[in-house]
Amino acid sequence: MRNLKTDYFEDLQLFKDGLQLFWSAVLLLLLFALPFFVKTYYLTIINLMAVNVVVALGLNLLVGNTGQISLGHAGFVAIGAYTTVLLLKAGVPFIFALTASGLVTGLFGVLLGIPSLKLEGPYLAIATLAFGLAVTTVIGRMDFLGGRMGMNVPKISLGWTGLKYDQSLYYVIIIITILAVIATRNLLKSRIGRAFQAIRDSDIAASAIGINLTKYKLYSFGISAFFAGIAGSLWALYLGFINPTLFSFILSINFLVIIVLGGLGSITGSVMGAIVLTYLNLQLEDVVEIPILGDALLRFSELFMTATGVSNVSWFLTGFILILVVLFEPLGLYGLWLRTKIYWKRWPF
Amino acid sequence: MAFFQIDNLSKSFGGLKAVDQLDFQVQEKEIFSIIGPNGAGKSTIFNCINGLYKPEQGKILFKGNNLIGRRPDQIASAGIARTFQNLELFAHMTTLDNIMLGRHLSMKASIAAVLGLSFKRSKAAKEELQHRRKVEEIIDFLELESARDQFVSNLPYGKQKLVELGRALALEPDLLLLDEPAAGLTQEEREDMVFWIKDIRDLLGITVILIEHNMQMVQNISDRILAINFGKPITTGTPEEVLGHPEVIRAYLGEDITQV
């Protein structure tokens, strides 16, 4: 195994070595071959995971890397989704609608970032929380956005691919997600990503070495919202129908849980967190059907939490996961992954 | 016109006058030390120069331009870098990234440009590598090779101080403010620090203002010294003049030294 570097560019290139390139290629092939082997249902699960990955990448940039907080990311996802639907209805081609959704949402991100220059910690959390709630309330009152009833999302023209609509949509979502991962990775390796992390670790030192705090905090909010907007656009597309209740406060919390579970400030963490939590949430919807546990949870829930049964079991569990992560592995799944890697590298010592 | 000049500077916190109508001048390529007992207002002067504090009155002139009212990042781009008394490092980043951050102002790649970073021929990658070479020179200069890829929070205190110095040097400043560079260092590390500060002035041609409590070091290194107490100057002059001054001795050791 070669450990020594001979060129500084080796720290910038996408794949560390041939082995990493090989496994990435295998994963890529697998992802692209998938639609020919699995049922549409599984494709939609992967779609949902991918959309969550895109939101998590953006949110992690803001929370994990820049050290700001947002409890209103569902609001950004909503803005992205509604922008896309409006533009598609007006006959704008999807690629432009997608870009515009990202940019419009990014602009909202910058606007929300302005109070962040003065607010910190809990105060910023409240401001972003209010933003998230306000977005859905406002959308709910606008008739041209479908109000509380919601809107159908026009299908985009993917006939030229020669595949079924669901399959083509899967490719669109996967490709954009992969691009988002690469973009985030390059951003974080660059002067801009470093500036974000400098602000997180010490804003005094960051300003003393010439980083304009105002500019870079707004960049971070803007980019984070851009990702959420792109994700919202994709989400609308595969749901086929959107209404304001989809973008609830719980969704914002869910995004936060994803990045904390996955690992704050880590791209691998964003990806792992989104995949694991999306899967868990889906599985927990059927938790009552588990033989003994389901029954016990149902009774527990009715006794202590709510009369409606186990609808909140997934929240209960995500809360529990968060506590475990904070107590035992602050770097989340990414931390676990790192430890495993180091363990195998050093084995048998 | 002096290279760097402070005119009638005052800064108070509530009723406490931390800096009180202070004047001093620093010549180009000088090593200028500020000494004084704890709470004399030394770090407050640095925070005013660096733009973290807004003084109530006075002027801070650097190459003839008044720095008052400018933000810290603007002052950094004017050519003033600093270190902090209680290290302000980017603790969750590596030594390399910390020092690369010192190059932030000289790097220009935009958000759109950095997306191409993983392509060797992209402008962003070329810029990154060019500045990486500069940073490696600093790592070489401060002998930080073994710490390059370590998170700075895992480094021993002496190395952390060097990383902070390296980050300041990466700005290629004209004026370097060092806030107690030797505090907490071992005897050996302190001797190395003296050697590096002299090199910074002699080889890199950077003017240095430093705050320091170690009198041996101050005497050894300074061209001129300013002694202050209660935010007011006691005296300015060569190390021999200042360190032998009765007022300075009294400020440091107390009133009744002769009677003990």
Side-chain angles (χ1 to χ4, degrees), chain A residues 57-138:
Chain A
L57 286 171
L59 187 61
N60 218 341
L61 207 63
L62 181 71
V63 180
N65 294 108
T66 321
Q68 307 296 306
I69 184 83
S70 168
L71 295 181
H73 254 56
F76 291 130
V77 177
I79 293 172
Y82 274 89
T83 312
T84 294
V85 176
L86 286 184
L87 289 176
L88 286 182
K89 282 195 166 176
V92 177
F94 172 66
I95 185 76
F96 295 118
L98 178 77
T99 318
S101 300
L103 293 176
V104 167
T105 316
L107 193 69
F108 273 94
V110 172
L111 287 179
L112 181 65
I114 292 171
S116 83
L117 306 172
K118 300 277 174 204
L119 302 175
E120 265 181 27
Y123 303 100
L124 181 61
I126 296 293
T128 53
L129 169 73
F131 167 80
L133 296 176
V135 168
T136 48
T137 312
V138 169

Side-chain angles (χ1 to χ4, degrees), chain B residues 41-74:
Chain B
K42 304 181 298 294
S43 290
T44 307
I45 300 175
F46 273 17
N47 287 340
C48 288
I49 298 174
N50 164 239
L52 289 173
Y53 291 164
K54 302 270 168 280
E56 281 96 44
Q57 62 164 16
K59 278 184 191 163
I60 300 173
L61 297 167
F62 179 55
K63 298 182 190 167
N65 301 315
N66 195 355
L67 298 180
I68 302 283
R70 294 201 204 175
R71 292 191 313 265
D73 59 289
Q74 293 171 321

Side-chain angles (χ1 to χ4, degrees), chain A:
Chain A
M1 194 162 60
R2 196 169 61 100
N3 279 322
L4 295 174
K5 290 172 183 161
T6 51
D7 181 356
Y8 295 143
F9 183 73
E10 287 179 38
D11 283 342
L12 296 183
Q13 65 196 9
L14 216 44
F15 303 103
K16 200 174 64 203
D17 47 33
L19 197 68
Q20 207 179 33
L21 178 66
F22 172 74
W23 285 115
S24 306
V26 168
L27 182 70
L28 213 62
L29 270 175
L30 215 69
L31 277 174
F32 276 82
L34 216 55
F36 301 104
F37 299 106
V38 301
K39 280 185 244 156
T40 312
Y41 170 70
Y42 293 104
L43 289 188
T44 51
I45 293 180
I46 296 177
N47 283 346
L48 184 58
M49 287 174 174
V51 168
N52 280 335
V53 166
V54 177
V55 182
L57 286 171
L59 187 61
N60 218 341
L61 207 63
L62 181 71
V63 180
N65 294 108
T66 321
Q68 307 296 306
I69 184 83
S70 168
L71 295 181
H73 254 56
F76 291 130
V77 177
I79 293 172
Y82 274 89
T83 312
T84 294
V85 176
L86 286 184
L87 289 176
L88 286 182
K89 282 195 166 176
V92 177
F94 172 66
I95 185 76
F96 295 118
L98 178 77
T99 318
S101 300
L103 293 176
V104 167
T105 316
L107 193 69
F108 273 94
V110 172
L111 287 179
L112 181 65
I114 292 171
S116 83
L117 306 172
K118 300 277 174 204
L119 302 175
E120 265 181 27
Y123 303 100
L124 181 61
I126 296 293
T128 53
L129 169 73
F131 167 80
L133 296 176
V135 168
T136 48
T137 312
V138 169
I139 290 173
R141 286 174 183 276
M142 293 205 171
D143 287 336
F144 76 100
L145 294 176
R148 302 216 145 273
M149 302 300 293
M151 286 195 295
N152 279 315
V153 184
K155 289 201 169 185
I156 57 174
S157 51
L158 291 169
W160 52 270
T161 55
L163 297 164
K164 277 189 273 177
Y165 186 71
D166 288 326
Q167 291 177 338
S168 327
L169 203 56
Y170 166 84
Y171 283 121
V172 169
I173 292 176
I174 286 296
I175 289 171
I176 291 171
T177 306
I178 291 169
L179 288 178
V181 170
I182 296 173
T184 312
R185 184 262 179 204
N186 281 351
L187 187 74
L188 281 178
K189 281 251 171 196
S190 75
R191 65 188 281 269
I192 294 166
R194 276 195 299 265
F196 289 163
Q197 295 170 64
I199 293 173
R200 173 195 66 194
D201 283 359
S202 166
D203 53 354
I204 290 180
S207 64
I209 56 164
I211 292 170
N212 183 339
L213 297 181
T214 307
K215 189 169 145 190
Y216 281 87
K217 278 186 184 176
L218 293 184
Y219 272 176
S220 182
F221 267 95
I223 296 171
S224 185
F226 178 88
F227 276 84
I230 295 284
S233 178
L234 297 177
W235 204 30
L237 216 55
Y238 98 88
L239 280 181
F241 177 81
I242 53 171
N243 71 28
T245 50
L246 286 171
F247 311 97
S248 65
F249 170 60
I250 290 297
L251 187 67
S252 294
I253 297 295
N254 199 45
F255 293 143
L256 268 183
V257 176
I258 286 177
I259 59 168
V260 173
L261 169 67
L264 284 174
S266 144
I267 293 175
T268 321
S270 298
V271 176
M272 291 200 288
I275 291 173
V276 171
L277 204 74
T278 310
Y279 181 75
L280 263 183
N281 279 341
L282 286 172
Q283 290 301 308
L284 286 172
E285 283 175 8
D286 310 324
V287 77
V288 202
E289 289 160 25
I290 302 173
I292 299 161
L293 184 71
D295 207 37
L297 277 174
L298 186 65
R299 220 167 287 158
F300 181 79
S301 177
E302 281 170 351
L303 264 177
F304 298 108
M305 298 192 290
T306 154
T308 58
V310 283
S311 63
N312 50 9
V313 153
S314 67
W315 307 349
F316 180 72
L317 193 91
T318 45
F320 188 64
I321 290 174
L322 268 194
I323 293 171
L324 286 184
V325 167
V326 171
L327 276 181
F328 298 110
E329 187 56 82
L331 274 176
L333 294 171
Y334 176 64
L336 272 180
W337 163 247
L338 273 187
R339 277 200 219 187
T340 321
K341 227 166 63 173
I342 291 169
Y343 177 83
W344 284 113
K345 247 184 197 169
R346 290 195 179 157
W347 192 86
F349 298 104

Side-chain angles (χ1 to χ4, degrees), chain B residues 187-203:
Chain B
Q187 179 67 25
E188 196 187 336
E189 287 169 337
R190 193 156 56 228
E191 283 163 10
D192 286 344
M193 187 60 88
V194 168
F195 168 78
W196 271 314
I197 293 174
K198 282 185 174 167
D199 269 2
I200 286 169
R201 192 263 310 265
D202 298 340
L203 301 179

